[in-house]
Amino acid sequence: MATEVTAPVRGMHCAACVGRVEHALTAVAGVEAASVNLATERATIAFDPARTDFARLREAVEAAGYELGEPPPPAEAADAVDRERAAREAEQREQRRKFTVGALLSAPVLLGGMSHVVPGVPALLSEPWVLLALTTPVQFWVGWQFHRGFLHDLRYRTASMATLVSIGTGAAYFFSVAVTLWPHAFAGHGAVTYYDVSAVVITLVVLGRWLEARARGRTSEAIRRLVSLAPRTARVLRDGREVDVPTAEVAVDDLVRIRPGERIPVDGVVTEGASTVDESMLTGESLPVAKAPEAKVYAGTVNRTGSFVFRAARVGSETTLARIIKLVEQAQGSRAPIQRMADRVAAVFVPIVLVLAALTFAVWWLLGPAPAGLLALTSAVAVLVIACPCAMGLATPTAIMVGTGRGAEFGVLIKSAAALELLHRCDTIVFDKTGTLTLGRPVVTDVVPADGATPDEVLALAAAAEQGSEHPLGEAIVTRAKERGLALPPVDEFTTVPGQGIDAMAPDGRVLLGNRTLMDARGIEVGALAARAQALAAEGKTAMYLALAGRPLGLVAAADVLKPEAGAALATLRRLGLGVVMLTGDSRATAEAIARQAGVERVLAEVLPEDKTREIQRLQAEGRRVAMVGDGINDAPALAQADVGIAMGSGTDVAIEAADVTLMRGDLRGVVAAVELSRRTIRVIKENLVWAFGYNTLLIPVAAGVLYPLWGVLLSPILAGAAMAFSSVSVVTNSLRLKRWRPYHGA
């Protein structure tokens, strides 16, 4: 059985790096699959432990010129995130320091290189030996990361962004050194140095790396925020006293005390006390949830008012919070189908650029005007510098990271990047009825009194008769009576009449509550109520006759009703251009009644659980891309068959693992939120890819000099370096716009 690990990879800077690491990993015998994410700087590897081990994987990655770190143990997730944050901050400080040094040294070099067009430049800055002294630290200290990368590329016969920067700036630098050392040899060809190209391009690329590192650090805030929800310690009751222990040491069945304002450390069940708990961090629900004995509580939520004790049920990596964090990490680390195209192009892009740069140099050298050699050099360097494929490698994963992280903050858990992309392409959403569109339990909808009675009298007597019943309809009647604060008359001699109703004795006579068959069998004339009972049945409601002392007293109707937000949510989905279908095992009359209320035009009724999958297949055969929304348990086969499965629920059961998308609340507006988030994220990805590909497609020919014969336009390598650096920053910044996304009506 394959083992899957996720481990940090250090040293990657572009999509070509990703391809090299993946190739190195998949080349190891026993590795079944490897996926590397540039934005998260992590590799997810599935391998056969009988054929290889992690040490060999590390060796393979190191041989490719990168570093594979140890995967963090689940219990140390918070520490791992802290270490990752510290490493990112250290990288930012290093890049900032190098940029600062580069900027201080490059500014006078740039002025010296432009002394012939900028008046007032000190003559000292025009001296080649001064420029050489200022440029050398920039070329070899500030830019060492690129030269080191180029040496690795050379060793393993590959090419990356470092290759382009190192070759381009190295050509400018060493040409300038040659002019400085042997100026007489270039006297007839224009003894011009290009130290400014070398120094400024490296400084600008490092600036881009620094800004990119800062921006990329912000994309992983969702994980850090989720991890920070779990407290580091818990107050456990042991041997009759309270002991503070690390959360990682809390065991199943430990009793944990929570005081007002404290975060709950693990999942559990309340055993003593009562309170209200803010679960908004997990579900997005702003209202606190009341907790009493037997109520479930979840790690990371905040106790608001009272103090209580709960018994630990899920600890460590099994808590709801830990599983959510794992899902978000998986989604952020996965790759959407749209990304594979970018990765394939980027993998061959660098070698193509090297060829284009060589051709540019040759054409200018052979056909260009004087000084042909200098124009050939600057044009080739400009092509190399502007073609760095950083923006391509970041276009998709940064948007995936921000989008899935933002969704998790509002209780919309998207399992993979592929699910995110598929959801935006779906044109039909199929809803299970019971528990998805409806509340999943009956509630009293109508109380119809007969002549001489009042609705409260009917409801109170029916509730009194049902107090001893465990039937869902009986529970619904008792619940409604309690909600209205009605006093229930005493009733005894409760008897269930199978298939018909109940029989009980009240002080004023015998009470009968049931269907028409029960009334007819006891000789109760209910003709005056029959028409209304039939009308209620046509609406999908169960109508029960109530009789007292031999005379009809009224009707009580109950039904599994639509969720309050259902109509608005489904209307919004239709406005988004989606077809809405309801799938249920209920009778067609009941299903169509619910469908009319919800505004659903297509109803698939009387479908057995094992046939739901077949109905999904039938829709797919019609050419539809189908998303299925269900409760994640009895709808599991249909969820799996659909292009995208969306599970409703609290997120505490197998639905989290079973579905492509899990909504932490049972609110149907979460479906709208998932669709909107998917569409928004894919739109941002497409914008990023258009920018990244369009930038290279348009500017590489300009850098090569195609505009020179027409308008005398050449792209300076310095401007090329600036454009390349800020292209990556623009892609990441565009992705960060998703952090402002808010779901429909706060779902």
Side-chain angles (χ1 to χ4, degrees), residues 297-512:
V297 292
Y298 305 107
T301 56
V302 182
N303 184 30
R304 294 287 296 271
T305 53
S307 175
F308 62 89
V309 176
F310 73 92
R311 186 180 302 278
R314 289 193 176 100
V315 300
S317 61
E318 295 302 314
T319 67
T320 300
L321 178 62
R323 294 158 77 194
I324 290 173
I325 292 170
K326 182 179 179 182
L327 272 182
V328 176
E329 287 178 333
Q330 288 176 346
Q332 292 187 343
S334 62
R335 290 189 294 173
I338 197 173
Q339 186 180 348
R340 295 181 190 134
M341 175 187 66
D343 288 346
R344 284 196 296 268
V345 172
V348 299
F349 190 74
V350 175
I352 291 174
V353 169
L354 290 173
V355 172
L356 289 176
L359 288 174
T360 299
F361 184 88
V363 170
W364 277 100
W365 179 272
L366 297 174
L367 305 177
L374 297 178
L375 291 174
L377 175 66
T378 55
S379 298
V381 171
V383 169
L384 289 171
V385 170
I386 205 165
C388 292
C390 304
M392 292 185 198
L394 294 170
T396 301
T398 52
I400 295 292
M401 284 183 67
V402 180
T404 54
R406 187 63 172 162
E409 293 177 29
F410 289 96
V412 179
L413 300 181
I414 298 173
K415 192 170 185 178
S416 67
L420 189 72
E421 181 173 346
L422 285 171
L423 183 57
H424 110 279
R425 297 167 59 193
C426 287
D427 52 27
T428 302
I429 297 191
V430 177
F431 288 89
D432 174 54
K433 180 181 78 69
T434 305
T436 301
L437 286 176
T438 66
L439 294 175
R441 52 181 171 79
V443 297
V444 173
T445 58
D446 302 86
V447 179
V448 182
D451 292 340
T454 67
D456 283 355
E457 289 174 349
V458 173
L459 184 59
L461 186 59
E466 289 282 13
Q467 282 187 95
S469 171
E470 295 181 354
H471 194 281
L473 293 175
E475 292 178 356
I477 294 172
V478 173
T479 298
R480 175 54 61 87
K482 289 181 178 178
E483 289 173 351
R484 295 182 59 83
L486 301 179
L488 307 186
V491 171
D492 54 17
E493 298 182 19
F494 175 89
T495 304
T496 299
V497 182
Q500 297 181 12
I502 58 172
D503 182 339
M505 181 62 71
D508 294 335
R510 185 162 298 281
V511 179
L512 299 174

Side-chain angles (χ1 to χ4, degrees), residues 174-215:
F174 288 110
F175 176 85
S176 301
V177 170
V179 171
T180 302
L181 294 176
W182 304 287
H184 57 281
F186 296 88
H189 304 282
V192 179
T193 61
Y194 282 89
Y195 289 118
D196 53 343
V197 171
S198 167
V200 176
V201 165
I202 283 180
T203 300
L204 287 173
V205 175
V206 170
L207 171 62
R209 285 230 177 145
W210 173 36
L211 296 176
E212 179 188 310
R214 289 182 58 192

Side-chain angles (χ1 to χ4, degrees), residues 432 434-436 628-636 639 646-649 653 655:
D432 174 54
T434 305
T436 301
M628 168 73 187
V629 186
D631 62 16
I633 300 173
N634 60 350
D635 296 314
L639 289 170
I646 303 176
M648 307 284 290
D653 54 23

Side-chain angles (χ1 to χ4, degrees), residues 546-598:
L546 177 69
L548 174 64
R551 70 181 183 88
L553 202 63
L555 289 169
V556 178
D560 181 12
V561 298
L562 276 177
K563 291 178 178 177
E565 76 281 359
L570 268 59
T572 302
L573 290 172
R574 288 193 295 273
R575 284 199 300 273
L576 292 174
L578 293 161
V580 179
V581 178
M582 188 175 75
L583 185 64
T584 179
D586 269 0
S587 67
R588 179 159 295 278
T590 300
E592 290 181 346
I594 291 291
R596 283 194 298 272
Q597 297 174 38

Side-chain angles (χ1 to χ4, degrees), residues 230-320:
R232 297 297 180 94
T233 61
R235 187 173 294 106
V236 179
L237 303 179
R238 289 179 180 170
D239 300 326
R241 60 192 182 93
E242 297 180 3
V243 182
D244 287 340
V245 301
T247 299
E249 295 180 9
V250 177
V252 174
D253 291 333
D254 272 349
L255 294 177
V256 183
R257 182 177 296 281
I258 301 295
R259 294 172 180 167
E262 293 181 338
R263 288 194 182 275
I264 296 169
V266 297
D267 292 3
V269 179
V270 176
T271 60
E272 176 187 327
S275 182
T276 57
V277 175
D278 180 358
E279 297 183 347
S280 61
M281 293 296 187
L282 293 182
T283 66
E285 175 59 69
S286 58
L287 296 176
V289 181
K291 300 295 181 181
E294 302 304 318
K296 294 180 179 180
V297 292
Y298 305 107
T301 56
V302 182
N303 184 30
R304 294 287 296 271
T305 53
S307 175
F308 62 89
V309 176
F310 73 92
R311 186 180 302 278
R314 289 193 176 100
V315 300
S317 61
E318 295 302 314
T319 67
T320 300

